[in-house]
Amino acid sequence: MTTRFDSEGIPTLIPEQGAATLSAICSRIVSQDNLYELLRILGEVSAVNMKASSAVAGIIEEGRLVFRQAYQNGSWISASPSCPKGEYWEILSGQKPRIERDDLLIVPFSGRYGVIGVLEVRGSKESAHLLHILAAVAGPSVENLLLRREKRNLRARSDTLNKLSKAITDKIEFSELLTTISDIMVRCLGTTHCFLYLLSPSGKELVCVAGAGWKLEELHVNLDENSIIAQAIHSRVPVILEDTSLQPDWHCSGEMRELNEKSVLALPLIQDGTVLGAMVVSDALRPHFFSKVDLATASQLADQAAIAIKNARLFRDEQSKITTSERLKAQLEAIIHSVPVGIAVYDCSDCLLLENPVFKQMFCLPAHSDQTGMHIDTIVGLIEDEHLHPDLAARIHSPHQTAPFEFELVDPQRWYRVSYTPFSSQGKVAGHVVSYCDISRDKGIERRIARTVSERTEELNDANRQLSQAFQDLQRLYHLKVNFLNAVSHDLRTPMAAIVGYAEFLQEEIAGPLGERQHQFVQNIMDGTDQLIRLLDDLLDFARMEVGSFKLACYPVEYGHLIERAVANLNALVLEKKLSLELVLDPELPNLCADQDRIVQILNNLITNAIKFTSPGGKVTLRVRHRGEVVVTEVEDTGIGISAEELPHIFEKFYQVDTGMVWRVKGVGLGLAIVKQLVEAHHGAIEVESVLGKGSTFRFILPIQQFPE
C-alpha cells in the first residue's frame, strides 16, 4: 500500500502503503486539541479514504447522540441523524457491530468505558473494515478531548464561582454588578454573548439591563410571546436551544436576529421563590454548544447572580432611604427654621431634639446657644421672666399637654398659643412637637371684633324692638281692616236684600202695571244690585281667606254637569256682547271630589272675565280634558290680551290690568286672586298664557283623587 495526499493535504489509504497512511492519519487525529475540529477531520478523512459522497462523526453528549456538521463533496453541511433512535441504540449498546444497508455505513468508536460516538458514510466504494480502523484510531483521541474539556469546564466553573462570589462582595453599585455578572458568565462558559433581563414593575415584560459581547439598547421581551426566555420564566427551569437553525422563530426579540446565534441557553433568575428576571447565554459560532456541565455551571451562576441582584437591590434601596432621610431631615430643619412660629421637638424622655430661632427669641434664650439634648426642666430653668410663674412655665414647655391653650406675658404684653402634636416611629409614640404661636395681633383683632359685635348687637336689639312694635301695629291695622270688610259685607247685605225684594215686586207688577220704560228701569236696578252682591261676596270671601276661616265643603260632583250649568248661566251675557261661546268636553269626564259652589264660582269668574275683555264678534272657548290623574280646564278668548310685564301680577290682590282701551272694565281686582286661592284650596294649580292684542288662555288643573279635608 502507498500513501497519497489530495489537494487539501488529507492522507488517503492506498492498499500498498496502508501502514504509512494510517500513521499519518493517526498523527493528525492525535495532534488535534479541539474536539469539534477533530470531529470535522474524522468526517473528512472518512469521506476521502472511503471514497464516499458524504461522511459525519457524532459523539454522545448527555445521553444523546449529537451530530455537528457533515462533509459532503468537499464542503460542510448541517448534519442530522440518518437512522431511527432504536437502531443507533443497538450500536451504542453493543448489540450490533455496525449498521450497513443500501449506501449507508455506520460504525461505533469507543473509549475506555464504552461507545462514545459513531462514524457514518454514504456512497462508500470501500469495505467496512477501513471505517472500523478509523473508528479505532478516533476513539481514544475523542475520549481524551472529552475528558480534557470536562476538566477545563470544571476548573473554569470553580474559578468563575470564586470570581462571582468576590464580585458579589466587591460590587455594591447595581449597574456595575449586572455588567460584571454578564462578563463572568461569558468568560466562564466560553460563549460569545450573555444578557441580563429584569422583570418590569408590571410583571408583563423583561427589560435588558446588562450584556456582554453585544450592546442591545431598549431591549424588551414580552412574556406573553412564546420565546425561549418566556418559556424559562414561566417554567422556572433552564431552557436550551441546541441548534437555532431548527427553530427559526426562537428569537427573544427582533434585535437578537442580528447576532446570528447557533446555540442559546435561557435561565430564570429566582430568589426566595420570586422571579427577578432571566439570563440568556448564547454562542454565535457553534450549535450544540452547551454540555451538561455547562448547564450545571450556568445554573449555579444564575443562582449566585440572583442572590447578588437581590442583595444589591436591598443595598440600593437602603442607600436611597438613607439619602431620602437625610434630604428630608435637611428640608425639615430648613422648614422649621423658616416658619414664624416657635418650634421645640422633644423625645419620649422629655429631652430637646430640635428648636428654631423663634423659640429662642420668644423666651429670651441666647441666639447662638444650643439646648439640644437638654431635659425640659433644665430649659425651664434657663428662662428668665419674673412675670411668668414657674408652674405656668413648666406647663408651657411640657410636651405632655393633651390640648392647646393660650397664655399671656405681661412685659412685653404678648399672647401665645401653645399646641402639642405627638409623632410616631415604627408604630410607637417617639416624642412631641410643641409649637408657640404669637397670637397678640389676633387677640387685638378679637377684642376689637368683640367690642364691635357688642355695639352692633345692641343696635340690632333696638331695631328688633322697633320692628316688633311696628309689626304689632301692622297686625292691629290688619285685623281692623279684615273686621271692617267683614262688617261692611254683612251690614250691606240686609239693605241689599230689601232693594232686591222690592225690585222683584215691581218687576212682577204686584204694585200695579209698569210701562216698557219703567220695566227697563227696574231691570237696571236688579243688574246693579246683582253686581253689588257679587262684589260683597268677593269681599266676604277675601276677608275669610285672610283670617283663615275659609272652608270647603267637598263632595263627589259630576264635573261635566257643572261645566254645562256654568255655560248655560252665561249664555245671555254672551249674546248681549255678540260673541260666540264654544264648549269642548272630553266624552268621559270623571267625577271630582270638590266644593260644587266654589267650582262654579271659579268657572263663572274666568268665563265672565273672558267675555268682558273680548270685543263684539270675538270668541270664547271652554275646553275640558281628562289627563291621567287630573282634569285640565282651559278658558280661551280672542280678547285684548295681557302684556308680558303684567302677567306675573294678575293673581295679586287688588291688581287690575290696564287694558289700554277707551272703555275700561270696572272691578276691585279680587276676582283672579280669589280664583287662585280656590284652585289651590282644591290642591290644584292655575296658570295663564297671553299675547297682547291676540287673547288669553287661563288653565287650571284639578286632581281626581280625594284629599284630606
Side-chain angles (χ1 to χ4, degrees):
M1 296 178 69
T2 59
T3 304
R4 185 175 62 199
F5 292 86
D6 64 5
S7 59
E8 296 184 4
I10 299 175
T12 305
L13 289 178
I14 307 298
E16 294 81 8
Q17 299 291 333
T21 302
L22 183 59
S23 176
I25 291 173
C26 290
S27 176
R28 187 177 181 196
I29 290 174
V30 172
S31 65
Q32 282 296 325
D33 59 357
N34 186 290
L35 176 62
Y36 299 111
E37 186 62 28
L38 174 58
L39 295 177
R40 287 166 60 98
I41 290 174
L42 288 173
E44 290 182 52
V45 170
S46 300
V48 173
N49 286 282
M50 296 291 295
K51 298 182 176 61
S53 59
S54 66
V56 64
I59 60 172
I60 298 174
E61 288 187 340
E62 301 177 11
R64 296 180 300 162
L65 188 59
V66 178
F67 293 93
R68 300 292 178 172
Q69 289 183 307
Y71 186 82
Q72 178 177 321
N73 298 327
S75 60
W76 294 98
I77 62 172
S78 295
S80 59
S82 302
C83 298
K85 292 182 179 179
E87 291 190 52
Y88 280 118
W89 177 248
E90 292 177 351
I91 292 181
L92 299 177
S93 62
Q95 298 178 22
K96 286 184 179 181
R98 65 175 177 269
I99 295 175
E100 188 173 3
R101 68 164 183 264
D102 298 332
D103 63 343
L104 176 65
L105 179 60
I106 305 175
V107 297
F109 56 85
S110 304
R112 285 174 292 176
Y113 304 107
V115 177
I116 59 174
V118 296
L119 290 174
E120 291 186 13
V121 294
R122 280 188 182 276
S124 174
K125 298 178 182 179
E126 298 291 340
S127 60
H129 76 281
L130 294 177
L131 195 60
H132 278 287
I133 294 173
L134 290 175
V137 173
S141 297
V142 172
E143 184 182 48
N144 183 47
L145 290 179
L146 287 172
L147 291 174
R148 288 168 59 187
R149 186 182 70 172
E150 186 172 356
K151 290 179 180 178
R152 185 172 63 252
N153 288 341
L154 289 173
R155 286 196 302 269
R157 177 184 179 187
S158 177
D159 293 342
T160 301
L161 291 177
N162 291 334
K163 291 178 181 178
L164 184 58
S165 298
K166 189 174 184 303
I168 293 173
T169 305
D170 296 343
K171 305 296 182 184
I172 298 177
E173 204 279 324
F174 192 61
S175 60
E176 186 178 354
L177 173 65
L178 298 177
T179 302
T180 301
I181 292 173
S182 302
D183 293 339
I184 290 175
M185 183 67 80
V186 168
R187 291 198 300 270
C188 174
L189 299 181
T191 60
T192 56
H193 305 106
C194 176
F195 299 102
L196 272 176
Y197 296 82
L198 293 182
L199 204 61
S200 67
S202 67
K204 295 183 178 180
E205 65 175 5
L206 294 169
V207 181
C208 184
V209 294
W214 191 268
K215 186 177 182 181
L216 294 178
E217 297 180 354
E218 299 296 328
L219 178 59
H220 297 256
V221 176
N222 191 337
L223 293 181
D224 293 333
E225 298 176 356
N226 190 29
S227 63
I228 184 174
I229 190 170
Q231 295 174 24
I233 290 292
H234 295 315
S235 65
R236 295 193 168 208
V237 296
V239 178
I240 297 178
L241 183 57
E242 295 183 341
D243 190 347
T244 59
S245 64
L246 302 179
Q247 189 176 340
D249 59 345
W250 71 272
H251 302 90
C252 303
S253 65
E255 292 86 344
M256 291 199 72
R257 291 188 179 90
E258 302 176 14
L259 304 179
N260 196 26
E261 304 289 43
K262 298 296 188 295
S263 304
V264 182
L265 170 61
L267 306 105
L269 299 176
I270 302 174
Q271 177 61 24
D272 294 335
T274 302
V275 176
L276 305 179
M279 181 184 298
V280 177
V281 187
S282 58
D283 191 82
L285 303 177
R286 294 149 290 187
H288 303 278
F289 178 84
F290 298 103
S291 66
K292 191 173 183 179
V293 175
D294 293 334
L295 177 59
T297 300
S299 298
Q300 191 164 356
L301 286 172
D303 293 340
Q304 293 292 329
I307 296 173
I309 290 171
K310 182 178 180 180
N311 291 339
R313 274 182 169 174
L314 291 174
F315 179 79
R316 182 185 62 182
D317 293 343
E318 286 301 319
Q319 286 294 104
S320 177
K321 289 179 181 178
I322 292 173
T323 303
T324 302
S325 176
E326 291 176 349
R327 184 176 67 254
L328 291 176
K329 181 180 179 182
Q331 292 175 351
L332 178 62
E333 290 181 353
I335 292 171
I336 289 177
H337 280 72
S338 63
V339 295
V341 175
I343 299 290
V345 183
Y346 298 92
D347 62 14
C348 289
S349 301
D350 297 344
C351 293
L352 187 67
L353 295 176
L354 186 65
E355 62 186 346
N356 69 347
V358 179
F359 170 79
K360 296 179 180 180
Q361 181 181 357
M362 281 182 175
F363 299 103
C364 302
L365 294 173
H368 300 290
S369 63
D370 185 7
Q371 284 75 41
T372 304
M374 289 185 181
H375 193 271
I376 180 65
D377 295 337
T378 305
I379 296 175
V380 171
L382 295 176
I383 299 174
E384 298 179 1
D385 192 334
E386 58 183 3
H387 303 289
L388 189 61
H389 192 275
D391 292 340
L392 178 58
R395 183 187 178 201
I396 289 172
H397 297 283
S398 173
H400 302 293
Q401 286 290 133
T402 58
F405 72 96
E406 298 173 357
F407 70 94
E408 182 180 17
L409 294 179
V410 178
D411 187 21
Q413 189 173 13
R414 308 294 295 173
W415 275 91
Y416 294 98
R417 180 178 179 83
V418 186
S419 300
Y420 307 87
T421 305
F423 63 89
S424 301
S425 177
Q426 298 179 348
K428 297 181 179 179
V429 175
H432 294 76
V433 178
V434 185
S435 63
Y436 307 84
C437 182
D438 188 337
I439 58 172
S440 303
R441 181 174 178 272
D442 295 340
K443 281 292 183 180
I445 295 174
E446 185 179 312
R447 290 193 183 98
R448 290 195 295 273
I449 291 175
R451 187 167 53 252
T452 302
V453 168
S454 177
E455 294 172 354
R456 296 294 180 269
T457 301
E458 186 61 32
E459 293 175 0
L460 287 174
N461 289 335
D462 291 342
N464 284 335
R465 285 191 291 270
Q466 295 174 9
L467 286 173
S468 178
Q469 184 62 43
F471 178 72
Q472 292 175 5
D473 294 342
L474 286 174
Q475 277 190 319
R476 187 167 55 255
L477 291 174
Y478 174 77
H479 286 296
L480 287 173
K481 179 189 72 173
V482 172
N483 292 336
F484 170 76
L485 290 175
N486 199 15
V488 168
S489 299
H490 280 88
D491 293 344
L492 287 179
R493 277 184 173 275
T494 301
M496 287 304 302
I499 295 172
V500 171
Y502 283 110
E504 289 178 348
F505 289 158
L506 291 174
Q507 191 174 36
E508 294 173 2
E509 297 183 347
I510 294 176
L514 300 176
E516 182 178 350
R517 190 174 182 186
Q518 291 170 327
H519 273 293
Q520 183 62 43
F521 289 161
V522 172
Q523 184 62 44
N524 291 341
I525 292 172
M526 294 188 68
D527 290 344
T529 55
D530 286 342
Q531 183 178 355
L532 187 56
I533 289 173
R534 285 196 297 274
L535 177 60
L536 291 174
D537 288 339
D538 287 346
L539 289 172
L540 186 59
D541 287 341
F542 171 73
R544 289 171 179 171
M545 291 175 181
E546 288 290 301
V547 297
S549 63
F550 180 80
K551 301 291 183 182
L552 293 177
C554 294
Y555 300 96
V557 299
E558 295 182 10
Y559 192 52
H561 176 70
L562 289 183
I563 295 292
E564 292 173 349
R565 193 178 83 180
V567 171
N569 291 338
L570 295 172
N571 272 332
L573 184 60
V574 170
L575 294 175
E576 182 182 344
K577 284 289 297 285
K578 299 180 181 180
L579 304 174
S580 63
L581 177 61
E582 180 182 4
L583 177 60
V584 182
L585 286 177
D586 238 353
E588 296 182 1
L589 283 177
N591 291 339
L592 299 180
C593 186
D595 188 323
Q596 177 174 302
D597 294 335
R598 296 304 181 182
I599 296 297
V600 171
Q601 182 180 352
I602 293 170
L603 292 169
N604 284 342
N605 204 323
L606 293 178
I607 297 173
T608 301
N609 276 356
I611 294 171
K612 286 180 181 180
F613 290 100
T614 302
S615 301
K619 181 180 179 181
V620 176
T621 304
L622 177 61
R623 297 188 189 88
V624 184
R625 295 169 293 173
H626 179 200
R627 292 290 182 267
E629 299 297 323
V630 298
V631 173
V632 181
T633 305
E634 293 182 348
V635 179
E636 179 183 349
D637 63 62
T638 59
I640 60 176
I642 306 169
S643 67
E645 292 79 10
E646 291 184 299
L647 272 179
H649 307 289
I650 61 170
F651 293 109
E652 296 176 0
K653 302 179 185 76
F654 304 108
Y655 185 82
Q656 288 184 296
V657 176
D658 186 359
T659 64
M661 302 176 62
V662 175
W663 57 274
R664 298 178 64 84
V665 179
K666 297 180 180 180
V668 294
L670 285 176
L672 289 179
I674 293 174
V675 165
K676 184 175 185 295
Q677 294 199 40
L678 289 175
V679 171
E680 291 176 350
H682 283 83
H683 296 276
I686 187 168
E687 58 190 21
V688 60
E689 297 175 1
S690 184
V691 178
L692 189 63
K694 293 187 177 181
S696 304
T697 300
F698 284 83
R699 182 182 303 107
F700 66 93
I701 303 167
L702 297 176
I704 296 174
Q705 69 271 17
Q706 296 184 5
F707 50 84
E709 295 184 2

